[in-house]
Amino acid sequence: KKKKKLKQKMQYKDLNIYNEKLENQYIDFLKKNGKYNDNKEEAISSLKQALSSVYKDNGNSYIKSKKPSEAILFYEVARTLFPHPSINSNLALALMMRRDFGRAIVACNEALSSPLIDQTLVAKVHLRLATIYGKHLNDQATSKKHITEGLNNPEVDNGTKKKLNTLLSSFK
């Protein structure tokens, strides 16, 4: 008989290693290395940002491997640690790959409402929204609104501009 191999599915709770013990270990590490400045809040923020970056990078690797479900898990953990708008934008892409357009729209709107978002990312998020509305939800009016927002952005990069124009021309 062949033994069936059970594939264990990754879960959010299994990924998030952040806890108070880790905070204390990090502060002890900083103290031992002469890097602690007696500001626990600043040290913890630094730890969360660093961990968030690692989780985001793992999510990006899964996106490149065409494994959006796994990417979503890593992005979810990353944004609980440090809610940077680029994480929400990447989460939106993974959700789009899973055809979960409602949650992708929410992630895009969270990215756009972040005070940390830069204008280049604003244009890319509008591209994601324009794609969702135009290609998947058949709402050309809303899609064109996001295309216009993206194209009118002074920091739109050439690649995003080309994709926005291509999407716009598909409506004619």
Side-chain angles (χ1 to χ4, degrees):
K1 283 184 175 182
K2 288 184 181 180
K3 289 185 179 180
K4 286 187 178 180
K5 203 176 196 183
L6 294 176
K7 184 178 178 184
Q8 186 176 9
K9 193 169 184 169
M10 276 194 298
Q11 294 183 358
Y12 175 90
K13 65 181 176 62
D14 300 325
L15 288 178
N16 193 353
I17 62 166
Y18 189 83
N19 57 40
E20 192 174 331
K21 182 180 178 184
L22 183 63
E23 285 180 0
N24 293 331
Q25 289 173 336
Y26 182 65
I27 289 172
D28 288 344
F29 171 80
L30 291 175
K31 286 177 180 176
K32 286 177 187 171
N33 290 288
K35 305 266 185 194
Y36 187 63
N37 63 4
D38 290 327
N39 187 336
K40 183 176 181 179
E41 190 175 298
E42 185 180 296
I44 299 308
S45 177
S46 173
L47 173 63
K48 286 182 174 183
Q49 285 183 37
L51 282 173
S52 178
S53 180
V54 170
Y55 282 109
K56 178 185 169 192
D57 290 347
N58 278 288
N60 293 347
S61 294
Y62 280 113
I63 286 290
K64 289 176 185 161
S65 300
K66 307 267 190 262
K67 296 180 179 178
S69 295
E70 290 83 350
I72 290 167
L73 290 172
F74 280 93
Y75 292 140
E76 290 285 357
V77 174
R79 75 185 193 155
T80 62
L81 294 169
F82 184 70
H84 194 274
S86 64
I87 297 167
N88 280 314
S89 176
N90 292 2
L91 174 61
L93 175 61
L95 290 164
M96 289 169 68
M97 291 170 73
R98 291 284 320 241
R99 305 189 61 74
D100 189 346
F101 302 119
R103 287 180 56 209
I105 290 169
V106 169
C108 285
N109 288 331
E110 287 175 4
L112 288 173
S113 67
S114 172
L116 301 174
I117 195 165
D118 64 63
Q119 289 303 305
T120 303
L121 186 57
V122 167
K124 289 180 181 179
V125 172
H126 280 296
L127 171 61
R128 295 201 199 296
L129 287 165
T131 302
I132 292 168
Y133 284 106
K135 287 188 172 181
H136 304 291
L137 300 180
N138 297 319
D139 182 348
Q140 289 187 6
T142 304
S143 181
K144 286 179 181 178
K145 175 187 149 239
H146 287 291
I147 291 169
T148 302
E149 290 284 333
L151 289 173
N152 288 338
N153 186 306
E155 301 293 322
V156 63
D157 64 68
N158 288 333
T160 302
K161 186 183 284 188
K162 183 177 179 181
K163 290 174 184 174
L164 286 163
N165 280 318
T166 300
L167 183 58
L168 182 61
S169 68
S170 72
F171 296 144
K172 296 176 182 172

